[in-house]
Amino acid sequence: MPQHTDNDFGLIGLAVMGQNLVLNVESRGFSVSVYNRSPEPTEAFVAAHPGRRIFGFHSLADFVASLSRPRRVMLMVKAGAAVDAVIAQLIPLLDADDIVIDGGNSLYSDTERRDAWLAGLPDKPLRFIGAGVSGGEEGARKGPAIMPGGPASTWDAMRPVFEAIAAKVDGQPCVAHIGPGGAGHYVKMIHNGIEYGDMQLICEAYALFQAAGMSCDEMAAVFAQWNQGALQSYLIEITAKALAERDAESGRPVVELILDKAGQKGTGQWTLVNAAENAVVVSTINAAVEARVLSSMKAQRLAASSRLQGPNPTIGLARASLVAQVHDALYASKIVSYAQGLDLMRTMGQKKDWGLDLAVIARIWRGGCIIRARFLNHIAAAYQADPALANLMLAPFFQEVLNRSQQAWRQVVALAVTQGIAVPAFSASLAYYDSYRSAHLPANLLQAQRDFFGAHTYERIDKPAGQWFHTAWPEVIE
Ligand code: NBP
């Protein structure tokens, strides 16, 4: 393989994301050194792209030696132990101030640990960036959304490359310095949680349309039409395209041939764990993660389907009314899902003192990433107008949409419940909306129960806040 030194950028991990990122970086005028643990992908990749300034190495030492200083080495390897293994191999080869970037889907707390590890190396502190990269294969090649976390000085050193390779919306790159330490990977985790919510909400709309007897082609036309309006987004667009796709062998819609068992890789679950740790409600994302879990229990569901009773869904509503109502339910639920994800980011950002700018985060999510959508312009505008916004639902634009949509949303959830169609994300979102807008909740009775069995005390509506009372409740005779 041709050797070349003084290259601008190094990338380790030539699976689907790594290869496409390298092609992207090289196409913006940077020379790139590449290395992969097993040598075959390196050989094949370099051979497949002759004439490009991509240089493959079979030795990590040669790879490192081929880079200009400070070296910029990006890892696109499997998240978890592989990242630690590669970093440990790199440390003896790098010099102080070289920059290591982890572009995989690492857990933010692992990123914080690695940041401290590299910054704390006694003889030669290294700089570390944990960068969330979203957009899948196509995004990596043409322009992903990038969420880098780490010291501001390291961001400055990486900025030219990141801004060159990121997606652009209205001429602005879909990348910005998110914050220190694990902030970038954290924001990518929330992005993925929100992605889970968006996907599940679309699937619930599909379930209702299916129950109403709509064909995949009819549904594809509805989603394509929705993609021209307020719901315009990458996920709605690919849903329309997926529904229209026919199997070459049988001529049937491909979607109808796919087994209804969803997979997941963990970022949705991480979001739930973090939400629980911070006592923030992410019920739409929770419903989405749990819907995937329940879908994966195919054998149990099949067995239960002949034993547990429910109605046979019949949706008599006129097609146009159903489509309009489901549109509104989906839009309103989506607003709730984003409100919850943003609330979690705000809470965690404050706790960690990350200085997260939610307007900037919404802005960089507008392009390149899986949740890219027109809708994000309104979120960016809402946080720009009011950075201290307590909840997205209260921004004037979203308040108006929710007030306008709530009736149809209720009708859709009621219809689904009476017809026995599970719509966990629609219903969880609506319950959040109704709880959040309730001046009074039944938690007074809950406090009575807590005080009854545990003397946990309660505040009273007729006394100043902060005064705590206990009642001598009657004894329970067993
Ligand atoms: P994978 O996540 O499938 O990882 C495969 C790569 O990791 C290969 O290059 C492999 O080398 C390398 N690797 C492994 Br596995 N263990 C290693 C070790 N101990 N030492 C060195 N290298 C090791 O690749 P991917 O799908 O391209 O994703 C890369 C990262 O980007 C992941 O963190 C992923 O979560 C994230 N991501 C993926 C997508 C997507 O759409 N795929 C989107 C956004 C983010 P080998 O060839 O020698 O086995």
Side-chain angles (χ1 to χ4, degrees):
M1 269 187 290
Q3 301 287 290
H4 186 272
T5 54
D6 230 19
N7 291 326
D8 303 313
F9 190 77
L11 189 134
I12 299 176
L14 290 173
V16 61
M17 290 297 283
Q19 290 197 14
N20 282 289
L21 265 180
V22 169
L23 294 175
N24 185 352
V25 173
E26 195 272 346
S27 72
R28 314 289 166 181
F30 301 99
S31 55
V32 188
S33 299
V34 296
Y35 172 84
N36 193 72
R37 176 181 59 174
S38 38
E40 298 79 13
T42 311
E43 291 278 357
F45 179 61
V46 173
H49 300 283
R52 300 190 65 162
R53 296 205 303 153
I54 298 171
F55 305 95
F57 296 86
H58 292 325
S59 132
L60 199 56
D62 291 345
F63 163 84
V64 169
S66 74
L67 296 169
S68 61
R69 295 171 191 227
R71 300 182 181 95
R72 296 180 285 197
V73 180
M74 185 157 186
L75 275 51
M76 282 310 280
V77 300
K78 197 176 169 66
V83 177
D84 288 316
V86 175
I87 291 176
Q89 290 162 28
L90 275 171
I91 287 174
L93 304 173
L94 294 174
D95 292 313
D97 277 344
D98 284 347
I99 300 170
V100 177
I101 307 126
D102 173 16
N105 270 341
S106 293
L107 182 59
Y108 76 93
S109 49
D110 282 343
T111 301
E112 298 198 317
R113 173 177 55 75
R114 290 171 187 139
D115 186 36
W117 174 24
L118 294 192
L121 290 172
D123 46 339
K124 50 169 185 190
L126 298 175
R127 298 188 275 174
F128 186 61
I129 287 197
V133 177
S134 177
E137 181 178 353
E138 195 189 341
R141 174 68 187 87
K142 296 182 182 160
I146 311 176
M147 292 147 261
S153 58
T154 314
W155 155 249
D156 290 340
M158 283 310 303
R159 187 174 181 158
V161 179
F162 281 155
E163 290 194 341
I165 65 172
K168 312 282 180 309
V169 176
D170 301 334
Q172 291 177 307
C174 292
V175 58
H177 181 226
I178 299 294
H185 273 137
Y186 181 82
V187 167
K188 172 63 172 30
M189 178 188 83
I190 300 294
H191 163 284
N192 284 24
I194 288 174
E195 177 187 311
Y196 273 61
D198 274 350
M199 291 169 76
Q200 176 62 21
L201 290 169
I202 292 171
C203 290
E204 292 179 14
Y206 164 69
L208 287 156
F209 291 158
Q210 250 190 332
M214 286 170 67
S215 69
C216 280
D217 286 341
E218 286 171 309
M219 290 189 249
V222 168
F223 283 108
Q225 191 209 337
W226 284 1
N227 199 41
Q228 304 302 313
L231 288 175
Q232 182 283 325
S233 62
Y234 171 72
L235 284 169
I236 292 280
E237 182 187 346
I238 67 165
T239 300
K241 291 193 167 139
L243 285 164
E245 192 71 15
R246 296 265 165 182
D247 175 51
E249 207 179 296
S250 63
R252 287 181 60 190
V254 175
V255 168
E256 286 181 359
L257 296 169
I258 297 176
L259 186 66
D260 55 335
K261 275 175 79 169
Q264 52 187 322
K265 283 193 171 170
T267 44
Q269 285 159 292
W270 292 349
T271 307
L272 300 188
V273 169
N274 179 255
E277 283 168 357
N278 285 290
V280 172
V281 177
V282 290
S283 50
T284 311
I285 298 170
N286 188 50
V289 172
E290 290 183 348
R292 290 197 194 192
V293 174
L294 275 160
S295 80
S296 72
M297 298 158 58
K298 177 78 176 177
Q300 285 190 52
R301 289 191 289 113
L302 266 175
S305 66
S306 59
R307 294 166 67 178
L308 301 176
Q309 294 181 355
N312 281 329
T314 43
I315 295 183
L317 205 60
R319 187 71 44 89
S321 306
L322 177 72
V323 169
Q325 287 184 3
V326 173
H327 173 279
D328 287 0
L330 176 48
Y331 194 14
S333 300
K334 184 176 165 88
I335 294 169
V336 165
S337 180
Y338 281 67
Q340 295 176 346
L342 287 157
D343 187 24
L344 181 53
M345 273 197 299
R346 187 178 56 89
T347 306
M348 184 71 172
Q350 283 169 356
K351 181 165 126 186
K352 303 286 280 185
D353 206 13
W354 278 336
L356 298 184
D357 185 331
L358 299 185
V360 168
I361 292 168
R363 183 173 62 67
I364 66 175
W365 285 351
R366 291 179 310 158
C369 64
I370 304 297
I371 64 170
R372 60 185 183 262
R374 176 178 302 166
F375 169 80
L376 284 154
N377 280 314
H378 297 292
I379 299 184
Y383 282 98
Q384 221 156 5
D386 181 5
L389 186 64
N391 189 296
L392 183 70
M393 297 191 298
L394 298 178
F397 175 85
F398 293 107
Q399 199 177 300
E400 191 276 322
V401 175
L402 289 165
N403 287 339
R404 178 162 37 90
S405 310
Q406 55 97 20
Q407 198 51 43
W409 193 9
R410 291 178 200 292
Q411 279 162 2
V412 167
V413 171
L415 177 72
V417 170
T418 51
Q419 296 302 319
I421 302 161
V423 288
F426 279 176
S427 352
S429 307
L430 182 56
Y432 178 87
Y433 173 79
D434 279 335
S435 296
Y436 191 84
R437 66 176 191 83
S438 289
H440 185 78
L441 287 170
N444 48 329
L445 177 59
L446 199 133
Q447 285 295 82
Q449 292 165 336
R450 292 181 70 238
D451 190 55
F452 198 123
F453 65 70
H456 292 300
T457 71
Y458 51 84
E459 291 174 292
R460 292 174 62 110
I461 58 170
D462 55 351
K463 301 280 191 235
Q467 285 187 18
W468 295 88
F469 298 88
H470 170 62
T471 292
W473 302 97
E475 220 178 300
V476 176
I477 316 281
E478 299 285 344

